[in-house]
Amino acid sequence: MSCPVNTFNKSKEDFIWFVKKAVTDKKSYSHSELYHSLLKLFVDADTNKDGLVSKASFSKLIDAAAAMPRAYGYAPIDSELYKTEAEKDAARQKMFDSMDLKSTGVITFDEWLKFCHEHIAAKTATMDPHPIIDAGSVDQYKNFIKAAVETPTSPEAVELYWYMLEMFTEHDTDKDGIIKMSEFPAMMNEFLITAKKHGLATPAEGDYETLFKKYDPRNDGRLTVDEWMSLAKEEVFKKFL
């Protein structure tokens, strides 16, 4: 089976942000993305194409689903979890029984979906997708931004890149790859929460439209991803370094 991680194509930090968003906000694009990914895994394991996953196919379904978090280092491999195949089979049977809410001897998609959402929510409840951005001190935050801005190949730069993409895609409400002026204030307000929390200088809300137009060279009321990243770097990050 093809690796699901290639479908997501996320950084380690962005993966956590994605799954946390997916299970806490049913109106989010992340929720829809996770839904369709879990549906694909289910369909691949539904060998009889009857809308059900049998006990015979169940273990393969779990293996396929586990490939995603394992690729990011969030789940151990089977050899670390189970000492023998018999131990693995017993654990999978227990998991199957807990998922088979209707006691039919097969798994329906709603049972699979419910199990995955509850499992993800429990596993990620205490995890911050971006620890320094979300919960670090002001000095940690400034050092992180400095490393990200000054060294484009650094791990900090990669993490900041994904963080900026999260902001953009979340506020691109019609999913056209563009942020419009009507979407821009809400994105900026969310984006500036951390800097404001640390008492750092940030653009005033009354200046948002001026900033938007400055980085909209076509003057068409549309901001692309690269323009958004340039705006954030030049008008926010570099101002407090």
Side-chain angles (χ1 to χ4, degrees):
M1 180 178 177
S2 60
C3 180
V5 175
N6 291 332
T7 300
F8 285 98
N9 190 28
K10 301 179 187 299
S11 70
K12 186 174 182 178
E13 295 80 15
D14 190 63
F15 178 73
I16 292 300
W17 176 87
F18 158 72
V19 291
K20 284 175 72 77
K21 188 74 175 177
V23 297
T24 57
D25 184 358
K26 291 186 177 181
K27 294 183 179 179
S28 68
Y29 185 72
S30 297
H31 179 82
S32 177
E33 185 178 355
L34 181 64
Y35 175 93
H36 287 288
S37 296
L38 293 175
L39 177 61
K40 183 182 185 305
L41 293 175
F42 183 89
V43 169
D44 287 345
D46 178 12
T47 54
N48 294 328
K49 297 297 178 275
D50 57 2
L52 302 167
V53 169
S54 65
K55 286 184 181 179
S57 300
F58 180 72
S59 195
K60 290 182 179 180
L61 173 62
I62 298 302
D63 286 338
M68 285 186 281
R70 279 176 181 163
Y72 296 103
Y74 291 121
I77 59 177
D78 282 353
S79 60
E80 295 175 358
L81 282 172
Y82 314 111
K83 294 179 181 178
T84 64
E85 279 298 314
E87 186 179 341
K88 177 180 176 179
D89 290 343
R92 291 288 167 88
Q93 181 63 52
K94 185 177 180 180
M95 189 182 296
F96 183 95
D97 292 339
S98 70
M99 208 181 300
D100 181 16
L101 301 176
K102 304 179 187 73
S103 299
T104 56
V106 288
I107 300 299
T108 58
F109 178 60
D110 61 297
E111 291 171 336
W112 166 241
L113 199 62
K114 183 175 186 295
F115 172 85
C116 290
H117 280 188
E118 291 176 350
H119 181 76
I120 291 169
K123 290 290 186 181
T124 61
T126 60
M127 299 174 70
D128 289 317
H130 302 283
I132 293 176
I133 297 175
D134 296 337
S137 68
V138 61
D139 288 336
Q140 287 176 317
Y141 179 70
K142 289 176 71 174
N143 288 336
F144 171 86
I145 297 298
K146 181 179 176 65
V149 170
E150 295 182 354
T151 311
T153 57
S154 65
E156 291 86 354
V158 174
E159 181 174 347
L160 187 63
Y161 168 83
W162 280 101
Y163 178 74
M164 298 300 297
L165 276 182
E166 290 165 11
M167 287 289 166
F168 188 94
T169 56
E170 189 65 22
H171 290 277
D172 176 14
T173 53
D174 50 3
K175 297 297 177 281
D176 59 357
I178 297 292
I179 292 293
K180 301 175 183 65
M181 185 60 222
S182 60
E183 299 165 322
F184 185 64
M187 181 171 71
M188 281 293 287
N189 287 336
E190 183 176 353
F191 169 58
L192 296 175
I193 287 175
T194 302
K196 287 182 176 179
K197 178 184 70 175
H198 292 312
L200 299 172
T202 58
E205 194 163 350
D207 295 332
Y208 287 176
E209 185 172 355
T210 300
L211 284 177
F212 185 96
K213 290 180 178 178
K214 180 179 177 180
Y215 287 85
D216 173 21
R218 299 166 305 282
N219 195 31
D220 60 0
R222 294 146 56 92
L223 204 66
T224 59
V225 170
D226 59 302
E227 290 162 353
W228 158 239
M229 291 188 174
S230 294
L231 185 158
K233 180 179 179 180
E234 298 297 330
E235 306 297 337
V236 179
F237 297 142
K238 285 189 175 180
K239 299 296 185 183
F240 56 69
L241 292 183

